Amino acid sequence: MRALVRSPFVHALAGGAVVAVALLTLGVGGRDSTTTTVLEQAQFSGATTPADGAAPELTPHAIYERDAPGVVFVRSRPVAVAADSPFGERQPQSGASGTGFVLDSEGHILTNQHVVGEASTVQVEFSDTRTVTAKVLGEDPTNDLALLRVDPASADLRPLTLGDSTTARVGDPVVAIGNPFGLERTLTTGVVSALERQLTAPNGFTIQNVIQTDAPINPGSSGGPLIDASGRVIGITSQIASTGGSNAGIGFAVPIDTATKLLPELKRTGSVAHAYLGITVTTIDASLDGVQPQLHRGVLVQAVIKRSPAARAGVRGGTVESQVGGNRIQLGGDVITSINGRTLKTAEELTAALAKYRPGDRIRLGILRGGEAMQLEVTLARAPKQAPSQPAQP
């Protein structure tokens, strides 16, 4: 895995043998990006009626018949200033295409932000082949989400039923419906392969609690629904892990709970305000014992972003570079052990904890500095549009 992974406070992982593969966003026609991650694989069953009162399990065909009409084809066409023009004329650029799905009868449609990007126009094609222009109501690149809206009178809207992604379990059957390589409303089946993955978003921050699946998805599937056996949406397909740019049985979906929590703010303001601390960190694990045996377990601060909330609060980054398992680690920085009294053991726990706060919130970081325990008060800021590429002061 890459040494540094950017997140709302920007964090890094260290140690452990990992299989590195390309991680691709799935929009067709441009703006695909790459990062790195891990692996896995498995299948589906026929329709069943559970005895415990839970929703009945449907066949893939039954899910397709019910939900495919609510899956749409999204085409975006950005307009940018031509780089070679001395007059700065705006020239049409090649667009992207992907997938989305209908949320309600008011014309709201959910897709990935990287499908829409900086689009000047977005066209949405429905299952009856009718194509209408959609307005981009809101974008959250930090979670790769975009909310569109079409005139309800202009289309036959078939809203999908949203589920609860927190109930997903490894091994649960799922289906994905999307437009891979422009092939409209293609269904694939698989299972939930893993939970609580982390992905790098288009703006360099980290998406939390991602669902991993082996249901085949490919470029063009971005923004499509990942659906459980009861026909409810539990995720929005976003990225794949691949060594060749196409399906390798490892796909990732943003949990639907993340989207439903953010939808009111996207509708109201057009964006989402995320809390920002401004540090890069790494988890202290056994791989660091040989480098600095006395290092306490917790979250080691690598660097502090200039003029960030962490910098203003006096958090200190590392000063001595060391090579650990192929990763460059900065030693000598503060060790974060808690946030508002809650003990932290990993960088992922710190990421998840910070995601619960808002810009302007004051938090208390438990710090170990040179073996001495202390508390630092930090006022969180609003995260920038892009994760800082240069971590700045150690």
Side-chain angles (χ1 to χ4, degrees), residues 22-27 30-35 114 200-202 239-240:
L23 195 60
L24 306 174
T25 53
L26 305 176
R31 292 198 296 279
D32 286 355
S33 62
T34 62
T35 61
H114 77 258
T200 300
Q239 299 183 29
I240 59 174

Side-chain angles (χ1 to χ4, degrees), residues 73 124-132 151-156 185:
F73 202 143
V124 175
E125 181 182 319
F126 290 84
S127 58
D128 60 3
T129 71
R130 191 183 318 184
T131 299
V132 300
D151 179 356
S154 67
D156 180 18
R185 280 163 285 279

Side-chain angles (χ1 to χ4, degrees), residues 270-322:
S271 61
V272 177
H274 294 284
Y276 177 66
L277 181 55
I279 56 177
T280 63
V281 302
T282 190
T283 298
I284 301 172
D285 60 16
S287 67
L288 297 179
D289 288 345
V291 179
Q292 194 167 329
Q294 75 278 17
L295 205 57
H296 297 273
R297 291 291 187 262
V299 183
L300 179 64
V301 179
Q302 298 290 279
V304 181
I305 308 300
K306 289 180 179 178
R307 295 179 292 277
S308 68
R312 290 191 291 269
V315 179
R316 296 181 183 177
T319 56
V320 179
E321 184 174 292
S322 181

Side-chain angles (χ1 to χ4, degrees), residues 8-9 139-142 205 265-266 268-278 307-309 312 357-361 379-386 388:
F9 59 91
E139 298 179 61
D140 178 26
T142 297
F205 288 109
E265 190 171 357
L266 282 173
R268 188 175 65 253
T269 68
S271 61
V272 177
H274 294 284
Y276 177 66
L277 181 55
R307 295 179 292 277
S308 68
R312 290 191 291 269
Y357 294 97
R358 300 280 297 173
D361 287 348
T379 300
L380 298 171
R382 179 169 180 156
K385 292 183 178 180
Q386 293 285 329

